[in-house]
Amino acid sequence: MSITILVEITIKPEHYYDYRKFMKRGTEIARSSEGCRLIEGFENEDAPGSFMFREIWSDRASHEEFVASMQESDAMKTLGPWMAGPPVVRYFNGLDV
């Protein structure tokens, strides 16, 4: 069974346009990762620079492996200082409703 993940990130205003470019490349990498089924990105209409991603992965372990690989890469060294705080990551299992 797949898992749905919601990731919320807030970017400092001075890094907004850099992040928008960075985000495109990051989602391309994630989409090509094993276990990734879907990634959708959204920006809060009332709070520019506040982003939410809805991701569907085959399982939590696949997502955690991807996150670990990103943390070891130069990508996270770039992204970290741009964020206004740590990302909020929540994992959800589907319900039969």
Side-chain angles (χ1 to χ4, degrees):
M1 176 177 230
S2 63
I3 189 161
T4 298
I5 302 149
L6 297 180
V7 180
E8 296 178 54
I9 298 173
T10 302
I11 298 299
K12 296 174 184 173
E14 63 269 24
H15 297 294
Y16 178 84
Y17 293 105
D18 294 324
Y19 176 73
R20 293 292 303 254
K21 289 184 240 172
F22 179 91
M23 174 183 60
K24 281 192 171 280
R25 180 67 184 130
T27 54
E28 289 172 5
I29 293 168
R31 286 182 178 124
S32 68
S33 297
E34 186 173 334
C36 181
R37 296 184 178 172
L38 173 78
I39 296 182
E40 295 179 311
F42 305 90
E43 183 173 7
N44 187 329
E45 186 174 291
D46 298 321
S50 179
F51 298 92
M52 194 271 294
F53 297 90
R54 182 176 80 100
E55 305 180 13
I56 299 177
W57 289 74
S58 58
D59 54 51
R60 184 173 180 154
S62 295
H63 181 258
E64 289 175 343
E65 286 175 25
F66 168 72
V67 170
S69 72
M70 292 301 288
Q71 288 173 336
E72 294 172 5
S73 75
D74 288 339
M76 291 310 285
K77 292 175 187 162
T78 299
L79 180 59
W82 294 355
M83 295 190 298
V88 175
V89 181
R90 295 178 285 166
Y91 294 88
F92 295 88
N93 292 311
L95 298 175
D96 186 18
V97 294

